Amino acid sequence: MSDKINQIQASYHPSEDRILLKIKTLNEQVYLAWITRRFMQLLIPVLHGQHPTSRKSLFDDKKSQLQQLDTEKTQLVGDYESEYKVPESPDYPLGEAPILLAKITFKDIYSDKAQLVFEPEKGQGIILPFHADLLGPLIKIFSQALHSADWALDLDPILEVPQETRLQ
């Protein structure tokens, strides 16, 4: 992604039985992607800093705890009620049809410039920064879409958004 993210929306589409992810940047680039139930089951633990299959922490315990605290604080901030605003002259770097996400990979996972990459089976995917400023809002946005999807995933404890942030 060549610019900062301006808006993200995830909405469940019953006819597709998929969640449509829309990401818009400040320079009006729009990225569209379908998220399946299987992909979401892998993605949610990743957003919490866990390996998607083993559920082991991707970071050392101290860093993981600090990241979780940052994520919780970030989840409490943001506008989750405004409608997605379609840009006047959108640019679709991946095409106007949504790509079907199939893989999650990381780049520079243990650096300050860690990236999370959502990819289709073939072709270009979506590269996002892997830090609390984005992970918290993604958790909140996906939890709202999952509620509509009613996929009965066994992820309830990690999808909960904290009611308040406690700092010690």
Side-chain angles (χ1 to χ4, degrees):
M1 210 167 280
S2 62
D3 198 14
K4 291 191 180 224
I5 296 171
N6 176 262
Q7 208 171 17
I8 300 174
Q9 180 191 50
S11 56
Y12 177 67
H13 290 251
S15 61
E16 294 282 342
D17 194 27
R18 297 177 184 165
I19 292 174
L20 179 60
L21 175 64
K22 296 179 185 177
I23 300 174
K24 182 178 77 170
T25 66
L26 288 173
N27 64 357
E28 298 198 342
Q29 289 184 322
V30 177
Y31 297 82
L32 304 172
W34 286 119
I35 297 177
T36 63
R37 183 181 188 280
R38 182 191 77 62
F39 189 86
M40 184 61 73
Q41 200 158 16
L42 295 172
L43 177 59
I44 293 298
V46 167
L47 296 179
H48 284 277
Q50 299 174 357
H51 188 276
T53 54
S54 71
R55 302 280 201 252
K56 291 184 180 178
S57 178
L58 295 170
F59 309 101
D60 64 52
D61 287 337
K62 185 176 180 182
K63 187 173 180 181
S64 182
Q65 289 170 356
L66 291 173
Q67 182 184 18
Q68 183 63 29
L69 182 60
D70 284 346
T71 300
E72 289 173 1
K73 287 192 303 188
T74 306
Q75 286 173 343
L76 299 175
V77 181
D79 178 4
Y80 298 104
E81 305 303 321
S82 295
E83 285 198 32
Y84 178 83
K85 294 178 183 139
V86 179
E88 289 181 27
S89 327
D91 174 32
Y92 295 93
L94 303 178
E96 291 187 39
I99 59 173
L100 179 60
L101 298 179
K103 298 182 265 185
I104 301 172
T105 57
F106 297 97
K107 289 184 179 180
D108 302 319
I109 187 69
Y110 298 109
S111 79
D112 291 339
K113 296 184 189 245
Q115 295 178 322
L116 181 61
V117 184
F118 300 156
E119 299 174 287
E121 282 294 328
K122 293 181 181 179
Q124 187 179 358
I126 300 170
I127 301 172
L128 300 171
F130 189 64
H131 58 72
D133 290 345
L134 182 61
L135 299 180
L138 282 176
I139 292 167
K140 175 72 174 172
I141 289 164
F142 287 139
S143 68
Q144 291 172 337
L146 280 169
H147 180 73
S148 298
D150 195 26
W151 281 342
L153 298 177
D154 188 24
L155 301 172
D156 288 341
I158 63 173
L159 275 177
E160 292 177 8
V161 176
Q163 296 303 313
E164 61 183 72
T165 302
R166 293 183 193 99
L167 297 175
Q168 295 182 0

